[in-house]
């Protein structure tokens, strides 16, 4: 009897999640939501200036300082790619871009893409977050907001700080730079 009740509640819960995630799959209400604004004068990409030795030395102790520096970010990303472990950084960067979105329709579309690429089970670039964090994130996606991925992003940030940053600092990428 207990197993039947448990199975029933699992099915009900699965249907609830399916309905809530279905919201993310809806098409935009009008074509205007799909229009990408065109800048007449395209912005030139910012030149990546090599940081001073002092700045680079601060990266050892602060993932945030590393991520805020374009040169540091590019170096860190190259290092992670060389280890085939760039999904955490890509997820973190996707979350940063997501927070800047103003249109609710665009936000929902982007939330869906981030979920499918990084969060869902067997995602192509699935990040390593615990079940509790994943559940909170899924609940937050019922009504997407700029903070929908905050909990997951903080977990991934902590993971990069604890694991990826120390490996980067010991790597030739970083050691050659600070010589």
């Amino acid at each position: 009897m207990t197993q039947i009740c448990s199975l029933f509640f699992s099915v009900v819960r699965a249907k609830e999640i399916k309905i809530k995630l279905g919201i993310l799959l809806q098409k935009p209400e009008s074509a205007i939501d799909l229009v990408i604004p065109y800048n007449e004068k395209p912005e030139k990409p910012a030149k990546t200036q090599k940081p001073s030795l002092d700045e680079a030395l601060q990266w050892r102790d602060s993932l945030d300082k590393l991520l805020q520096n374009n040169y540091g970010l590019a170096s860190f990303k190259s290092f992670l790619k060389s280890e085939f472990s760039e999904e955490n950084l890509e997820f973190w960067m996707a979350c940063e871009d997501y927070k800047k979105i103003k249109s609710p329709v665009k936000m929902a579309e982007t939330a869906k893409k981030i979920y499918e690429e990084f969060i869902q089970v067997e995602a192509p670039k699935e990040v390593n977050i615990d079940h509790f964090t994943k559940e909170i994130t899924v609940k937050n996606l019922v009504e997407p907001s700029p903070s929908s991925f905050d909990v997951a992003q903080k977990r991934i940030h902590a993971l990069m700080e604890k694991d990826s940053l120390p490996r980067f600092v010991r790597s030739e990428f970083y050691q050659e730079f600070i010589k």
Side-chain angles (χ1 to χ4, degrees):
M1 183 66 168
T2 309
Q3 290 176 344
I4 293 172
C5 287
S6 178
L7 180 62
F8 173 75
F9 287 115
S10 295
V11 170
V12 169
R13 180 78 176 124
K15 285 183 180 181
E16 286 175 357
I17 291 172
K18 183 179 176 184
I19 290 168
K20 290 175 181 176
L21 288 176
I23 293 170
L24 295 175
L25 299 173
Q26 293 177 357
K27 292 186 179 182
E29 293 179 13
S30 68
I32 196 76
D33 294 325
L34 297 174
V35 175
I36 299 170
Y38 173 74
N39 291 333
E40 288 181 22
K41 295 180 182 175
E43 291 182 35
K44 292 181 182 176
K47 289 183 180 176
T48 305
Q49 185 178 355
K50 192 172 180 178
S52 69
L53 180 59
D54 273 351
E55 287 175 291
L57 289 172
Q58 291 176 16
W59 300 348
R60 294 184 297 193
D61 304 316
S62 173
L63 178 61
D64 290 327
K65 289 193 190 253
L66 171 67
L67 297 174
Q68 291 167 3
N69 182 288
N70 288 340
Y71 195 94
L73 180 61
S75 298
F76 189 50
K77 188 172 186 175
S78 294
F79 164 72
L80 292 174
K81 279 187 178 188
S82 76
E83 290 199 334
F84 305 99
S85 62
E86 69 270 19
E87 68 279 349
N88 287 340
L89 180 60
E90 289 180 6
F91 172 71
W92 184 87
M93 292 169 60
C95 291
E96 288 298 295
D97 291 342
Y98 173 80
K99 291 176 188 178
K100 298 172 188 169
I101 298 171
K102 302 290 183 220
S103 162
V105 172
K106 181 74 173 159
M107 186 172 282
E109 291 171 355
T110 305
K112 177 182 178 272
K113 287 177 187 172
I114 292 172
Y115 174 80
E116 290 175 348
E117 188 171 357
F118 299 103
I119 304 291
Q120 77 181 8
V121 177
E122 301 297 321
K125 297 179 181 180
E126 185 176 2
V127 292
N128 186 11
I129 54 174
D130 57 275
H131 179 72
F132 179 73
T133 302
K134 194 174 283 196
E135 194 172 295
I136 289 172
T137 303
V138 169
K139 285 180 183 175
N140 289 344
L141 294 177
V142 172
E143 291 183 36
S145 73
S147 62
S148 292
F149 293 100
D150 282 359
V151 175
Q153 186 184 20
K154 285 176 184 163
R155 293 267 196 264
I156 292 302
H157 184 280
L159 185 64
M160 289 192 301
E161 202 165 43
K162 181 180 155 195
D163 183 52
S164 304
L165 180 62
R167 286 195 330 268
F168 172 68
V169 168
R170 290 189 304 266
S171 75
E172 286 183 31
F173 282 83
Y174 183 74
Q175 291 301 318
E176 285 297 317
F177 181 70
I178 60 169
K179 282 186 180 178

